[in-house]
């Protein structure tokens, strides 16, 4: 078995695995010797912003001298990006070794009627590798929801919840309060819980689970298209992650780190080092952003309106058919002179004609492309690639050779 075969096996479990609360994950981890007990963890949930928050926490931990693990989803270009130790992706040899152990464990569990899913297996692989690699503190991003997300087997040093928005409604509920209750499931007795300030109704739901610490919005000091500088009660900080929303995510990360009980230093340097590819990331004249839900679309709109108010760009987009395509289009359509819809290479992808028709109904000039590569080849000048992160990852892989920038965070060597 090589790494590609191992990854194909992991993905095959989306068709054969069956989620069963947290029972699958607990049984699989027990079969691996409960690796999740071998390190401290920071656990992060939220609709938007949890990945950025995780990346910032990871950078700060590494700058403070910890052997740090980072588990996020989805990936942009390579599955191994999801599992990192000290900034480096899980090596192919370790991935194969871990998958072989997990395959054997799954075969035994299936005799007991348990069939772990793709995400449960990926989570078990991450925790197994963190123990193998000697990780001291792991930053773990929830995959979907919180209460029943397989990462919720952790007993973390701190739980953090980023902004709540409308996404994954089929699994989490049709209202913000329903979704908030699912996210609040990561709050545990005796564990500090740090949450981003949001509506009082949502904060009340979090308070039902226990005492919470609110990460207050920072005071902006300087905002550019490529980062910002801001003040919190305990210091001034800067980030290289574009967008006003990233200051809020940075505040959550800093409040969460301070509440964790860990000995920390060089937080400002760590925060400045943090990178999170594919989210308001410039490669030459192309902006990449995984705006796949209305909250993300509004963030992209606000960023473009603030920094490029008179620039008419081309939008290259593709989305999953279970996402709110109409709502995202209504937010983004006024910003673009042309929209090119393409199909994401994923079974859940919406057809380009459907996406194009949605934008055309809003008055946009539209076209379709058979692939991301074709869409990029037929456009020039300033353009935005936004929608599914699968789309962003494909575009990023094609564009990296055209850019003089060196984005190392998602390169797996």
């Amino acid at each position: 078995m090589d790494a590609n075969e191992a990854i194909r096996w992991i993905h095959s479990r989306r068709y054969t695995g069956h989620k069963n609360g947290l029972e699958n994950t607990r049984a699989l981890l027990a079969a691996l010797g409960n690796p999740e007990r071998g390190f401290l963890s920071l656990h992060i949930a939220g609709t938007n912003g949890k990945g950025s928050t995780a990346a910032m926490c990871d950078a700060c931990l590494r700058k403070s001298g910890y052997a740090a693990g980072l588990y996020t989803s989805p990936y942009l270009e390579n599955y191994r990006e999801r599992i990192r130790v000290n900034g480096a992706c899980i090596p192919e040899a370790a991935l194969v070794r871990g998958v072989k152990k997990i395959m054997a464990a799954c075969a035994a569990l299936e005799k007991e009627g348990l069939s772990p899913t793709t995400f449960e297996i990926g989570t078990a692989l991450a925790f197994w590798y963190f123990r193998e690699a000697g990780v001291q503190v792991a930053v773990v991003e929830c995959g979907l929801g919180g209460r029943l997300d397989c990462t919720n087997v952790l007993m973390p040093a701190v739980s953090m919840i980023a902004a709540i928005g409308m996404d994954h409604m089929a699994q989490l509920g049709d209202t913000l309060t329903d979704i908030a209750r699912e996210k609040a499931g990561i709050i545990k007795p005796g564990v500090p819980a740090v949450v981003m300030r949001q509506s009082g109704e949502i904060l009340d739901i979090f308070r039902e689970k226990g005492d919470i610490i609110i990460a207050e919005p920072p005071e902006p000091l300087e905002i550019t298209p490529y980062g910002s500088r801001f003040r919190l009660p305990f210091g001034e900080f800067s980030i290289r992650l574009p967008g006003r929303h990233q200051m809020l995510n940075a505040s959550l990360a800093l409040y969460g780190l301070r509440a964790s009980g860990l000995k920390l230093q060089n937080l400002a340097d760590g925060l400045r080092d943090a990178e999170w590819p594919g989210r308001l990331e410039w490669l030459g004249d192309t902006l990449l952003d995984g705006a796949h839900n209305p909250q993300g679309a509004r963030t992209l709109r606000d960023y473009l309106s603030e920094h490029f108010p008179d620039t008419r760009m081309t939008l290259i987009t593709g989305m999953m058919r279970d996402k709110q395509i109409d709502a995202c289009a209504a937010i983004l359509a006024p910003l673009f002179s042309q929209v090119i819809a393409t199909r994401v290479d994923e079974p859940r992808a919406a057809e380009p004609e459907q996406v194009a028709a949605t934008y055309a109904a809003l008055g946009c000039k539209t076209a379709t492309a058979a692939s991301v590569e074709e869409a990029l080849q037929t456009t020039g000048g300033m353009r935005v690639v936004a929608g599914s992160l699968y789309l962003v990852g494909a575009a990023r892989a094609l564009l990296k050779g055209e850019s003089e920038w060196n984005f190392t965070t998602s390169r797996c060597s």
Side-chain angles (χ1 to χ4, degrees), residues 112-132:
E112 302 174 15
L114 299 178
S115 185
T117 65
T118 291
F119 194 75
E120 290 166 338
I121 287 168
T123 301
L125 176 64
F127 294 171
W128 170 84
Y129 179 59
F130 290 162
R131 182 181 62 184
E132 291 287 300

Side-chain angles (χ1 to χ4, degrees), residues 59-66 263-267:
C60 290
L61 289 170
R62 286 191 277 136
K63 206 70 174 182
S64 295
Y66 287 99
K263 294 181 179 179
L264 298 163
Q265 55 190 356
N266 300 323
L267 286 180

Side-chain angles (χ1 to χ4, degrees), residues 245-317:
H245 66 293
Q246 293 292 13
M247 290 188 288
L248 299 175
N249 294 330
S251 175
L252 178 63
L254 291 169
Y255 272 89
L257 287 165
R258 287 166 58 87
S260 69
L262 296 169
K263 294 181 179 179
L264 298 163
Q265 55 190 356
N266 300 323
L267 286 180
D269 292 341
L271 203 67
R272 192 180 303 112
D273 287 348
E275 294 181 341
W276 193 228
R279 287 78 170 178
L280 294 180
E281 175 188 20
W282 285 98
L283 287 180
D285 287 335
T286 303
L287 178 66
L288 305 176
D289 190 57
H292 63 275
N293 57 35
Q295 188 178 21
R298 283 189 288 270
T299 296
L300 174 58
R301 176 199 62 193
D302 293 347
Y303 171 79
L304 292 174
S305 298
E306 179 174 11
H307 296 293
F308 305 95
D310 301 318
T311 305
R312 301 293 286 177
M313 304 182 191
T314 296
L315 172 66
I316 298 173
T317 188

Side-chain angles (χ1 to χ4, degrees), residues 157-215:
V158 63
S159 301
M160 292 180 256
I161 303 179
I164 303 299
M166 299 300 291
D167 202 2
H168 300 295
M169 286 89 75
Q171 296 86 7
L172 304 180
D174 294 330
T175 68
L176 284 177
T177 52
D178 288 339
I179 294 170
R181 285 191 180 91
E182 291 298 318
K183 309 289 185 183
I186 71 166
I187 299 175
K188 297 178 174 69
V191 175
V194 180
V195 304
M196 189 178 288
R197 179 169 288 285
Q198 37 210 305
S199 76
E201 190 176 24
I202 289 176
L203 292 179
D204 286 344
I205 288 170
F206 296 156
R207 290 188 180 101
E208 290 173 5
K209 299 289 292 186
D211 294 334
I212 60 172
I213 300 166
I214 298 175

Side-chain angles (χ1 to χ4, degrees), residues 12-188:
S12 74
R13 300 294 300 194
R14 73 172 67 180
Y15 307 110
T16 59
H18 177 69
K19 184 164 177 61
N20 186 22
L22 298 178
E23 187 176 353
N24 285 352
T25 307
R26 289 192 173 114
L28 183 54
L29 291 171
L32 297 173
N34 290 115
E36 78 282 4
R37 300 176 186 173
F39 50 83
L40 297 174
S41 61
L42 314 181
H43 197 198
I44 306 173
T47 304
N48 289 77
K50 59 185 186 295
S52 302
T53 302
M56 287 187 265
C57 287
D58 173 66
C60 290
L61 289 170
R62 286 191 277 136
K63 206 70 174 182
S64 295
Y66 287 99
L70 178 64
Y71 180 54
T72 59
S73 62
Y75 62 91
L76 288 179
E77 298 172 41
N78 188 304
Y79 183 88
R80 296 188 293 118
E81 297 169 26
R82 296 182 56 199
I83 303 169
R84 300 172 184 267
V85 172
N86 293 331
C89 304
I90 180 174
E92 290 187 355
L95 184 144
V96 170
R97 191 166 70 252
V99 166
K100 286 181 176 179
K101 291 180 179 291
I102 290 170
M103 288 177 74
C106 285
L109 290 176
E110 283 170 357
K111 295 177 181 178
E112 302 174 15
L114 299 178
S115 185
T117 65
T118 291
F119 194 75
E120 290 166 338
I121 287 168
T123 301
L125 176 64
F127 294 171
W128 170 84
Y129 179 59
F130 290 162
R131 182 181 62 184
E132 291 287 300
V135 161
Q136 296 170 289
V137 187
V139 184
V140 178
E141 177 192 2
C142 280
L144 190 156
R147 181 176 64 92
L148 295 178
D149 187 80
C150 60
T151 62
N152 204 28
V153 298
L154 293 169
M155 185 57 70
V158 63
S159 301
M160 292 180 256
I161 303 179
I164 303 299
M166 299 300 291
D167 202 2
H168 300 295
M169 286 89 75
Q171 296 86 7
L172 304 180
D174 294 330
T175 68
L176 284 177
T177 52
D178 288 339
I179 294 170
R181 285 191 180 91
E182 291 298 318
K183 309 289 185 183
I186 71 166
I187 299 175
K188 297 178 174 69

